[in-house]
Amino acid sequence: MAIAYRASSANAWVAWNTTAEVVLNVPTNTAENDIVLVQIFIEGDRTITAPAGFTELTVVEPLSDFQIHTFWKRAGSSESGTYTFTWTAQAAHAGLCVAYSGASTAADPWDGFTSGGAAWDDIPALSLTTTAANDL
């Protein structure tokens, strides 16, 4: 089975929040073994605490004083409700949660990672070739 987009949910940009968290809905129809990918764009140099089961893939700083944190997990048999990510002090932020079906279930599905660089005006990577079928 090829990797396919299943669904997503987002938290709109919060310019000044009085909380230090982002709450994202589990994407509709997320099924067992789907890959759930979360990205959080946040002001400042923050350490983000993810819910159980999530692993941080990378942190990039595309703009001065802003970071993008990327997390992932393999969905369990009963994913529903919300995922809450927290940090220690209020900050402007936005979040995105996406579910993908069809990824390899043999092991960690992350076969490669590429980006255009750390600056907002860097040219993005146009392609990445994985070494195994259905890896991300």
Side-chain angles (χ1 to χ4, degrees), residues 22-130:
V22 63
V23 180
L24 298 165
N25 292 323
V26 173
T28 304
N29 298 322
T30 298
E32 185 172 16
N33 288 320
D34 280 0
I35 298 301
V36 179
L37 184 68
V38 170
Q39 286 195 307
I40 300 171
F41 184 77
I42 189 165
E43 176 186 34
D45 183 6
R46 309 275 186 220
T47 298
I48 296 178
T49 301
F54 278 91
T55 299
E56 190 162 34
L57 279 174
T58 186
V59 178
V60 294
E61 192 168 339
L63 299 169
S64 177
D65 202 33
F66 283 91
Q67 294 179 326
I68 300 173
H69 293 253
T70 303
F71 299 87
W72 82 281
K73 74 175 278 188
R74 188 177 309 281
S77 60
S78 59
E79 298 289 320
S80 64
T82 60
Y83 300 123
T84 301
F85 293 77
T86 61
W87 47 90
T88 56
Q90 69 184 38
H93 65 274
L96 173 67
C97 183
V98 183
Y100 294 95
S101 64
S104 171
T105 59
D108 182 337
W110 300 104
D111 190 11
F113 178 80
T114 185
S115 70
W120 70 270
D121 59 350
D122 282 346
I123 298 170
L126 299 177
S127 68
L128 170 70
T129 302
T130 60

